[in-house]
Amino acid sequence: MTTTEERPTAPSATARAFPPGFVWGTATAAYQVEGAAAEGGRTPSIWDTYSHTPGRVVGGDTGDVADDHYHRFREDVALMQRLGMASYRFSVAWPRITPQVSADALGPVNAEGLAFYSALVDELLAAGIEPAVTLYHWDLPQALEDAGGWTSRRTAERFAEYAEVVAAALGDRVRTFITLNEPWCSAYLGYASGVHAPGRTEPAAALAAVHHLNLAHGLGAAAVRRAAPGARVALTLNLAWVRTEGTTAADADAVRRVDGLQNRVFLDPVLRGRYPDDVLADTAGVTDWSFVRDGDLDLIHQPLDALGVNYYSPTVVRAWDGTTPRAENDGHGASAHSPWVAAQDVEFPELPGDKTAMGWSVDARGMTELLLRLHREHPGLELIVTENGAAYDDVVVAGRVHDVERTRYLRDHLAAVLDAVEAGAPVTGYYLWSFLDNFEWSYGFSKRFGVVHVDYTTQQRTIKDSGYWYASVVRAHAVPATDGALVTG
Ligand code: FCB
């Protein structure tokens, strides 16, 4: 039965069609939605430790219960089906799969952990929804952090073994495995600015983490191919569209530095088998990169079937001369320690214009520019938008959430994806972040990204207007070109 709220917006002359086969999806991550933190044999991850440390997360929130997706996944899959999703990107919690892992050994596989994801995969397939599995979305087993975390290459080695276990168990039904989600955040927010778990503030450790995350991707990609030869292997990066409004050579150099630290230090080893010389030079005062061993770059430079691109907001920089307080509007949270290792002479000015509840500037052009740059520099590489979305301060009024700002954000960004596609970029899918409101890391439950509202007291799900709107886009396989079609219901 189609309710009034679900009636499709007319695609007609005011809509722009996506290419046939373009995949519509929605995304979440284990620690942000699952809850059941101490159930099914799961042991603590770095996010359990971090969120339970007073002062780390807004409101003292934790992922102990979150959206209770662990128990409610059948209901959630039914909701996805109702919205017409073709694919669901979720992550596997490593501490559910090998809860006794140590730096030296993976330890026994926890059948109960695998059974949960296997049941989720079956439920999705029965609903006609294709699973896309992220193997690491930031919930490192605490025991590995205690032995050095991502500063240690043993973490990368254990990751590959864990990846092989998951791919062997799910690879008969899962076509897409994403090794890592946003290693930039794991490395720099986890080890330099400390606003993410494990909360360390050591610049040299952050760069060691960059390398071992790259290594984990390479070893993990090879492991997935061994265990699930037919699967597609991808890596998701949060790449930045870095620009400046300044005109000096120093401003241009600020763009180069930040581009190096955010984009090329991941793209170049993975896709070209080398670290960028300028990044090595920029960071020479922090580390000599001696943790890179002979042969590592070959291990990292594995064939990649697709690159996952997460885009939310532009990155605008300028040179900082040190005479005024440094502007730090980089959207990555407040810390006395910068995530921008070896870029002390760069600042991030506040931009005029629209911002989301995260304080992130809204500029959909960046989506097009980023996708086109990747297409230009890595021709032939399949691109998938694995995250895009926005937080706003939603309110439920009489059972509805009229989140027109989020709908407008999504409309503009989908149009921006289509601009890139029409200009030749091989973008094959789009995953909206997020399906449900969830635990937004150090912001806890204070920021809502979902197209489905969650009442954290009752666990009641309420489809927001943006959810109905996205469903209409999926049905029409087209994005409305005018504001008139933004509101459904
Ligand atoms: C990305 C993360 C995701 C979510 C969104 C808002 O950086 O991958 O888990 O927190 O931001």
Side-chain angles (χ1 to χ4, degrees), residues 276-403:
D277 291 339
D278 62 326
V279 174
L280 299 180
D282 288 346
T283 56
V286 178
T287 178
D288 60 6
W289 291 77
S290 54
F291 40 76
V292 181
R293 298 204 187 148
D294 282 353
D296 278 3
L297 283 154
D298 290 338
L299 296 173
I300 295 169
H301 184 206
Q302 295 289 320
L304 195 68
D305 297 313
L307 181 68
V309 179
N310 292 357
Y311 175 84
Y312 290 90
S313 184
T315 301
V316 180
V317 301
R318 71 181 168 218
W320 182 54
D321 63 9
T323 60
T324 50
R326 185 173 181 230
E328 290 174 356
N329 301 288
D330 62 0
H332 295 298
S335 168
H337 305 268
S338 173
W340 301 102
V341 171
Q344 290 82 357
D345 48 357
V346 177
E347 63 176 348
F348 299 80
E350 168 140 25
L351 292 179
D354 291 349
K355 294 198 177 60
T356 69
M358 296 293 285
W360 296 350
S361 284
V362 177
D363 191 345
R365 263 184 316 157
M367 177 73 96
T368 314
E369 297 290 341
L370 181 57
L371 294 168
L372 288 178
R373 176 220 176 147
L374 292 166
H375 174 47
R376 240 182 355 258
E377 295 186 2
H378 303 281
L381 176 63
E382 179 180 334
L383 305 172
I384 304 170
V385 177
T386 40
E387 284 180 31
N388 173 243
Y392 288 103
D393 295 328
D394 303 312
V395 281
V396 185
V397 179
R400 296 294 301 262
V401 179
H402 297 302
D403 56 339

Side-chain angles (χ1 to χ4, degrees), residues 76-304:
D76 288 337
V77 170
L79 206 49
M80 277 176 227
Q81 188 182 27
R82 184 170 159 203
L83 294 179
M85 293 304 107
S87 184
Y88 175 44
R89 173 180 176 235
F90 62 90
S91 78
V92 172
W94 184 351
R96 288 197 191 284
I97 306 302
T98 60
Q100 310 308 328
V101 62
S102 72
D104 298 319
L106 192 61
V109 173
N110 174 30
E112 203 175 347
L114 277 181
F116 168 68
Y117 295 105
S118 188
L120 174 57
V121 164
D122 287 343
E123 191 77 10
L124 287 164
L125 293 173
I129 301 170
E130 191 188 315
V133 174
T134 306
L135 292 162
Y136 183 73
H137 200 127
W138 305 354
D139 40 5
L140 187 72
Q142 180 63 42
L144 290 178
E145 175 55 34
D146 294 343
W150 288 112
T151 69
S152 163
R153 67 186 292 123
R154 292 190 298 176
T155 298
E157 291 163 2
R158 296 297 82 73
F159 172 77
E161 294 163 5
Y162 148 76
E164 190 155 353
V165 167
V166 177
L170 305 181
D172 56 336
R173 289 156 290 157
V174 171
R175 195 173 72 96
T176 305
F177 287 95
I178 297 165
T179 53
L180 308 177
N181 177 73
E182 301 192 355
W184 186 93
C185 293
S186 301
Y188 297 107
L189 301 183
Y191 293 84
S193 73
V195 300
H196 276 192
R200 289 167 63 176
T201 51
E202 304 152 46
L207 293 171
V210 164
H211 177 64
H212 295 126
L213 283 152
N214 281 330
L215 186 62
H217 160 74
L219 296 173
V224 170
R225 286 197 199 285
R226 274 196 302 276
R232 240 171 24 146
V233 179
L235 163 69
T236 282
L237 299 176
N238 54 322
L239 299 167
W241 173 48
V242 192
R243 62 187 181 85
T244 185
E245 292 177 353
T247 52
T248 66
D251 293 322
D253 198 55
V255 171
R256 179 194 61 74
R257 287 176 95 100
V258 168
D259 178 61
L261 288 169
Q262 178 130 18
N263 300 325
R264 290 181 288 110
V265 82
F266 300 103
L267 289 170
D268 284 16
V270 169
L271 296 168
R272 303 191 197 283
R274 58 168 195 259
Y275 278 111
D277 291 339
D278 62 326
V279 174
L280 299 180
D282 288 346
T283 56
V286 178
T287 178
D288 60 6
W289 291 77
S290 54
F291 40 76
V292 181
R293 298 204 187 148
D294 282 353
D296 278 3
L297 283 154
D298 290 338
L299 296 173
I300 295 169
H301 184 206
Q302 295 289 320
L304 195 68

Side-chain angles (χ1 to χ4, degrees), residues 8 12 62 126 190 306 403 436:
S12 71
T62 74
D403 56 339
L436 300 170

